[in-house]
Amino acid sequence: MSLSKSKIAGNSLSTTFGKWIYIAVRAAKPEIMIETGVAHGYSSWVILNAIHKNQKGKLYSIDLAGHDTNDDYNLNKNKIGHIVPNTLRQYWKLIVGDSKIELPKLLTRLGKVDIFFHDSDHSFENMFFEFNEVFKFLKKDGIVLSDDIYKNLAFDQFIANNKLNATYFSKGGCIII
């Protein structure tokens, strides 16, 4: 599938935030990265391409199939991440389930995380939960990325509570711990 000719619903290399995600992964060279929310897999593809270019790292993605209110992202289990090419899947572990259940288990198993990218349920409760859960496991100089931060105040509240600084984009944000 050609990304330039397909309908892009998500962060690709054609969006500013997609470019920022790619650059962050290339520069930080994470060993462990976690993403919540996959849908078609545009952000996953961007991340995995950067990991491949780095020749190191693993992306763990969590997505809950069939629960999105936006039909563009409401995919069944077999379609999650369908645009990710087979050549990049060696760097990827997809976990189908609820981030409220799967994220704490994954973090406990992995121990530390270099980069976290939130793009799942954009309710205040879920975003705030994910940021706070991951914060306990971030390595020094770890990065928190979030899409759709304008949908509520969870990102800003997390920053204020932890006295952090952030970089803002038109629809996303970045925190370097």
Side-chain angles (χ1 to χ4, degrees):
M1 169 187 283
S2 169
L3 292 179
S4 62
K5 293 181 180 177
S6 63
K7 178 182 177 188
I8 294 181
N11 294 302
S12 71
L13 287 175
S14 68
T15 66
T16 301
F17 195 52
K19 288 177 177 118
W20 178 258
I21 293 167
Y22 179 83
I23 291 166
V25 174
R26 288 288 282 142
K29 294 182 177 28
E31 291 180 32
I32 303 289
M33 182 166 176
I34 297 175
E35 161 193 47
T36 57
V38 177
H40 300 282
Y42 287 100
S43 297
S44 305
W45 179 86
V46 168
I47 294 163
L48 290 165
N49 191 43
I51 287 173
H52 173 70
K53 298 274 188 194
N54 289 344
Q55 296 188 342
K56 71 177 245 180
K58 181 95 173 178
L59 173 63
Y60 296 84
S61 301
I62 302 170
D63 197 18
L64 182 58
H67 284 80
D68 204 299
T69 56
N70 181 336
D71 284 342
D72 287 339
Y73 301 102
N74 197 19
L75 305 175
N76 70 43
K77 181 168 103 171
N78 298 327
K79 288 297 248 177
I80 295 171
H82 66 94
I83 72 140
V84 175
N86 288 334
T87 56
L88 297 178
R89 290 181 181 254
Q90 65 184 321
Y91 305 104
W92 193 33
K93 170 70 175 154
L94 174 62
I95 301 163
V96 178
D98 188 334
S99 68
K100 287 184 240 27
I101 297 166
E102 300 301 332
L103 184 59
K105 291 191 307 192
L106 179 61
L107 289 165
T108 299
R109 185 166 57 83
L110 296 175
K112 289 289 181 186
V113 176
D114 297 295
I115 301 177
F116 172 69
F117 174 49
H118 163 84
D119 197 12
S120 62
D121 171 13
H122 296 304
S123 68
F124 177 92
E125 294 76 19
N126 190 68
M127 290 176 76
F128 201 65
F129 165 78
E130 288 184 5
F131 298 147
N132 283 293
E133 194 67 26
V134 167
F135 189 61
K136 299 178 272 188
F137 292 88
L138 275 174
K139 290 182 179 176
K140 183 181 181 307
D141 298 324
I143 298 171
V144 174
L145 299 163
S146 182
D147 200 7
D148 299 319
I149 60 172
Y150 62 88
K151 291 192 174 186
N152 63 62
L153 294 174
F155 190 76
D156 292 326
Q157 187 65 53
F158 174 72
I159 290 166
N161 289 359
N162 293 287
K163 297 178 177 63
L164 302 169
N165 295 311
T167 300
Y168 290 84
F169 298 87
S170 61
K171 64 189 232 77
C174 175
I175 305 164
I176 300 176
I177 307 300

